[in-house]
Amino acid sequence: MTSTISWIDDITMTELERNPYLVYERLRAESPLAYVPVLGSYVASTADICRSIATSPDFEAVITKAGGRTFGHPAVIGVNGPIHDDLRSMVDPALQPQEVDRWIDDLVRPIARRYLSEFEDAGRAELVGGYCEPVSVRALGDLLGLKSVSSDKLREWFHKLSRSFTNAGVDENGEFTNPEGFDEADAAKEEIRSIVDPLIDNWIVNPDDSAISHWLHDGMPDGQTRDRDYIYPTLYVYLLGAMQEPGHAMGSTLVGLFTRPDQLEQVIDEPALIPRAISEGMRWTSPIWSATARISTKDVEIAGVELPEGSVVLLSYGSANHDHTVYDRPSEYDITRPPLPHLAFGAGNHACAGIYFANQVCRIGLEELLETIPNIERDTSSDVEFWGWGFRGPTALHANWEV
Ligand code: HEM
């Protein structure tokens, strides 16, 4: 299948991953619900279309082709009905605000302080690999019960799973153009199982307060646990997205603030502004840029496009969050915007389960960083590069300060 607009047939994965904004600005203007051959799917690029498909009764969740190849079945993001209800009933309890508020400070603050103590006296640091990612993975790793797995290992796993999940390019027959792109995640999953299987063996007989132990036991009849093969695909959702995205969100927020030194100063003087800075950071560069999808359950017409039953539509929330009809100057980071909702956490019954937890991790991470190093500046001797179409964030962020 090809699109009806020829430039759309020429879109490549490489250009999407380097900078999807140029392509998507054109998509929003010319073909906001377009069939994009390299992705083998329709793509929704405006706020209105993303939101209406995510909340429509005529669509249900489906995992993308590369996502399904990476996670297997049943991953929470790609199932519906009773299995989705069960997986949400498994993951949701630990992520409720009243639950998270009980322990989030004690969990995240010491982690943030520990990583800060490694570089605060050095006067310089690379913040993505040295702070944002480690704080993100350590907080969730400890919550899940993966205390024995090092932060570097957790980071390595999410990077490998992430590249595999977004290895989306297909040819005209719908076959993956880069099948070797899945190999590193296949190896990572073998390693994950070799480390997590013995932990599961132990939790089955000795339940504790870790999230995975609860996943195994909660809601099950006495003496029974959920099957590990049933849990693993959703654990991979966590080991990829939930590990990676708070780090992306902190990194993008910092880059955004560095583009507005006046606003950075305001936020440092008034830390109560940090949640607003994070929300704008996630609108500006959405961590989950285009990773989830829906499938039509009957023939439907949306935005003048006839979609037959069974059409897969990728929800490009990162593009929706740059929609000119919603936001003024969308490509600028600006914490003084009117408080319009954004789609960085998705919409509908598959919206992010970790919204509250993720926001608290980012808030505490940035509070600690900016309180400890209030004179932080971007090191302008190196550029900041962003990468990614499925998931997006800065690959490195060098900062310096006077000690
Ligand atoms: C800043 C960080 C994060 C961002 C921006 C983010 C964003 C998203 C988005 C866009 C989706 C897909 C929504 C849709 O398809 O409409 C999603 C799904 C999900 N997220 Fe997050 N997420 C973040 C962190 C987390 C964390 C830390 C957790 C868990 C601790 C988590 C758990 C989940 C789960 C379980 C789903 C699947 C929900 C379902 O399909 O029912 N997320 N997230």
Side-chain angles (χ1 to χ4, degrees):
M1 191 166 169
T2 55
S3 71
T4 47
I5 305 181
S6 68
W7 67 268
I8 296 178
D9 297 344
D10 300 330
I11 295 173
T12 65
M13 285 313 297
T14 307
E15 70 180 315
L16 289 177
E17 284 168 339
R18 276 198 197 131
N19 179 2
Y21 289 106
L22 299 171
V23 169
Y24 272 86
E25 190 170 343
R26 229 175 139 184
L27 282 175
R28 289 193 303 273
E30 295 177 31
S31 190
L33 181 58
Y35 185 82
V36 178
V38 71
L39 298 169
S41 302
Y42 288 88
V43 166
S45 54
T46 62
D48 189 33
I49 299 177
C50 283
R51 192 182 295 282
S52 51
I53 289 178
T55 55
S56 164
D58 302 335
F59 286 84
E60 60 182 21
V62 66
I63 195 162
T64 60
K65 192 173 154 78
R69 168 69 180 76
T70 305
F71 289 166
H73 178 77
V76 61
I77 55 174
V79 290
N80 300 284
I83 299 183
H84 181 241
D85 293 344
D86 179 60
L87 290 172
R88 285 298 295 249
S89 78
M90 177 181 97
V91 300
D92 281 349
L95 301 173
Q96 296 311 298
Q98 63 276 24
E99 173 65 16
V100 172
D101 281 343
R102 273 196 316 117
W103 40 255
I104 194 75
D105 233 72
D106 292 342
L107 173 70
V108 184
R109 250 178 241 290
I111 293 172
R113 287 191 187 133
R114 198 168 74 234
Y115 286 108
L116 278 168
S117 71
E118 289 178 9
F119 59 74
E120 65 180 300
D121 296 330
R124 60 204 319 271
E126 192 291 285
L127 295 173
V128 172
Y131 188 70
C132 303
E133 291 184 353
V135 170
S136 178
V137 299
R138 197 64 275 148
L140 182 60
D142 288 2
L143 174 66
L144 285 173
L146 303 179
K147 287 195 171 130
S148 57
V149 184
S150 73
S151 301
D152 283 345
K153 185 51 78 183
L154 293 170
R155 290 173 58 218
E156 181 192 318
W157 287 346
F158 84 60
H159 281 296
K160 288 181 173 170
L161 291 170
S162 177
R163 286 190 290 265
S164 171
F165 190 97
T166 57
N167 181 28
V170 291
D171 63 19
E172 58 283 3
N173 302 316
E175 302 295 333
F176 289 118
T177 46
N178 176 25
E180 312 77 55
F182 299 107
D183 294 348
E184 59 175 349
D186 288 343
K189 281 179 283 177
E190 258 181 54
E191 186 179 36
I192 290 166
R193 297 237 13 181
S194 75
I195 291 173
V196 179
D197 270 345
L199 297 174
I200 290 180
D201 292 339
N202 181 44
W203 281 317
I204 289 173
V205 283
N206 300 310
D208 66 17
D209 212 21
S210 64
I212 301 177
S213 178
H214 282 288
W215 291 7
L216 288 161
H217 291 276
D218 287 3
M220 298 298 286
D222 262 357
Q224 286 182 42
T225 48
R226 285 188 179 79
D227 195 283
R228 70 188 69 200
D229 289 333
Y230 174 81
I231 288 179
Y232 265 110
T234 296
L235 182 58
Y236 296 141
V237 172
Y238 268 58
L239 291 178
L240 191 185
M243 287 282 174
Q244 174 172 250
E245 303 326 330
H248 269 156
M250 278 187 267
S252 294
T253 299
L254 286 166
V255 179
L257 284 169
F258 285 135
T259 68
R260 304 294 296 248
D262 54 325
Q263 298 191 356
L264 174 61
E265 208 180 303
Q266 252 182 303
V267 169
I268 288 169
D269 289 347
E270 210 182 317
L273 290 174
I274 287 175
R276 204 202 284 178
I278 294 166
S279 176
E280 172 63 355
M282 288 195 250
R283 182 209 62 81
W284 183 60
T285 304
S286 302
I288 299 204
W289 210 94
S290 188
T292 56
R294 303 291 191 270
I295 186 166
S296 51
T297 52
K298 57 179 192 179
D299 296 352
V300 274
E301 195 204 302
I302 309 248
V305 179
E306 305 276 353
L307 290 181
E309 180 183 341
S311 301
V312 174
V313 183
L314 301 176
L315 300 176
S316 294
Y317 291 131
S319 167
N321 287 337
H322 275 222
D323 189 330
H324 283 81
T325 64
V326 183
Y327 307 100
D328 270 350
R329 297 168 287 103
S331 58
E332 287 177 25
Y333 179 91
D334 181 2
I335 66 166
T336 69
R337 289 180 181 285
L340 292 165
H342 61 57
L343 281 163
F345 289 104
N349 66 341
H350 280 267
C352 179
I355 301 178
Y356 191 77
F357 172 80
N359 272 306
Q360 302 313 307
V361 171
C362 294
R363 174 182 61 78
I364 297 170
L366 292 187
E367 279 173 6
E368 288 294 329
L369 175 72
L370 299 179
E371 191 190 322
T372 308
I373 312 174
N375 53 347
I376 195 163
E377 288 179 352
R378 184 165 91 71
D379 177 352
T380 47
S381 66
S382 35
D383 288 338
V384 181
E385 267 187 38
F386 283 83
W387 187 86
W389 155 82
F391 307 102
R392 192 164 180 84
T395 51
L397 173 57
H398 294 273
N400 51 26
W401 55 93
E402 301 245 333
V403 285

